């Protein structure tokens, strides 16, 4: 006869035979695990929906909803004349190419300065401050060429075109000022002027919404996993075997206030029983 102070597993082993450890049992049924995950998702569905909708709303709010236009000017930096029939000058050509690359990299950084932006704003005479012009200007070298592009992005297509041309003119004037009095071989000129943009740039709303959806699903999964980890409520018999490593011997249904008693065995309330108590005999009527 097991004692009361013995562990529960030893008492069960004594009463019903040895219980196999959890690790020695058959692996869990994948279908049961899938049903468990679906049950968790259904139980936490309102929370998942709120998190995903919040992520989608955030992605929508950070997406610019105003159309923007881009105008680009292409500038050539290199020798003023190109000779295709040079002999014995391969080393000099390689050295000159390296020098032009350094020139172009220097010019790219020069274009994105407040001095050039101020001069371009004055030339274009547009309702933009020099700092706004500077934030809208970008410059880059076209790979493996002596060309670079100056791009201006603005909400007004006409302003974008005017600023792109003005920035190019201001930069070329500045470059010519720096090269005066030097025997520099670099020649700077506009190869292709900007054209008036007619199609707005993609604001990335679809990309941002997809990223927000994926991020919301990931965050919702992490939150649900944390909530399930700290939740020790046992809802189904499988939770007992998974958490305690013990077999389920039986399940007692939750009856609440509905006790399994018949009508004949129910206890009548005290007030009802008083109604059926015998009353005292009436007093005899007085004579005469």
């Amino acid at each position: 006869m097991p004692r009361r102070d013995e562990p529960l597993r030893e008492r069960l082993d004594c009463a019903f035979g040895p219980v196999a450890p959890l690790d020695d049992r058959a692996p869990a049924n994948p279908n049961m695990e899938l049903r468990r995950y679906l049950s968790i998702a259904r139980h936490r569905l309102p929370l998942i929906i709120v998190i995903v909708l919040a992520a989608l709303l955030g992605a929508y709010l950070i997406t610019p909803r105003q159309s923007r236009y881009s105008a680009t000017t292409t500038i050539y930096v290199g020798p003023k004349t190109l000779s295709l029939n040079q002999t014995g000058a391969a080393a000099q050509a390689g050295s000159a190419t390296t020098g032009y690359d350094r020139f172009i990299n220097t010019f790219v950084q020069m274009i994105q300065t407040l001095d050039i932006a101020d001069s371009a704003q004055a030339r274009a005479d547009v309702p933009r401050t020099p700092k706004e012009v500077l934030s809208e200007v970008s410059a880059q070298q076209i790979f493996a060429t002596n060309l670079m592009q100056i791009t201006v992005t603005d909400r007004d297509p006409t302003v974008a075109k005017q600023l792109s041309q003005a920035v190019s003119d201001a930069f070329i004037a500045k470059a010519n000022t720096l090269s005066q009095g030097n025997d520099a071989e670099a020649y700077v000129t506009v190869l292709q002027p900007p054209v008036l943009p007619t199609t707005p740039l993609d604001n990335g709303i679809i990309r941002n919404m997809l990223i927000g959806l994926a991020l919301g699903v990931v965050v919702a999964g992490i939150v649900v996993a944390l909530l399930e980890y700290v939740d020790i409520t046992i809802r189904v018999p499988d939770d007992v075997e998974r958490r305690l490593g013990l077999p389920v011997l039986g399940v007692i249904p939750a009856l609440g206030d509905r006790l399994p008693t018949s009508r004949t065995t129910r206890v009548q309330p005290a007030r009802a029983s008083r109604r059926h108590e015998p009353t005292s005999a009436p007093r005899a009527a007085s004579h005469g």
Side-chain angles (χ1 to χ4, degrees), residues 117-133:
D118 190 11
S119 178
Q121 190 274 336
R123 289 171 179 266
D125 193 18
V126 293
R128 302 289 186 272
T129 64
K131 289 186 178 181
E132 290 177 340
V133 174

Side-chain angles (χ1 to χ4, degrees), residues 125-239:
D125 193 18
V126 293
R128 302 289 186 272
T129 64
K131 289 186 178 181
E132 290 177 340
V133 174
L134 181 61
S135 65
E136 296 178 349
V137 175
S138 63
Q140 63 178 358
Q141 179 185 9
I142 301 178
F143 180 73
T145 66
N146 284 15
L147 304 177
M148 64 179 183
Q149 292 180 328
I150 300 176
T151 303
V152 176
T153 303
D154 191 88
R155 58 184 178 271
D156 188 339
T158 303
V159 173
K161 177 180 179 297
Q162 292 176 351
L163 282 178
S164 182
Q165 183 65 56
V167 170
S168 303
D169 295 341
F171 158 69
I172 293 176
K174 186 70 172 180
N176 292 334
T177 301
L178 295 176
S179 62
Q180 287 181 357
N182 298 329
D183 296 332
E185 297 180 357
Y187 176 69
V188 183
T189 185
V190 175
L191 182 65
Q192 181 177 347
V195 296
L196 182 66
T198 57
T199 304
L201 299 176
D202 182 16
N203 60 357
I205 181 66
I206 297 178
R207 181 190 68 249
N208 292 346
M209 295 297 286
L210 291 177
I211 295 176
L213 177 62
L215 184 61
V217 171
V218 171
V219 173
I222 294 175
V223 172
V224 170
L226 290 177
L227 292 177
E228 289 296 321
Y229 178 77
V230 300
D231 186 9
I232 61 174
T233 305
I234 295 177
R235 299 185 180 90
V236 294
D238 293 339
D239 294 341

Side-chain angles (χ1 to χ4, degrees), residues 252-267:
I252 301 176
L255 299 175
D257 296 333
R258 297 171 298 175
L259 298 178
T261 57
S262 61
R263 291 184 178 180
T264 57
T265 59
R266 289 179 181 175
V267 178

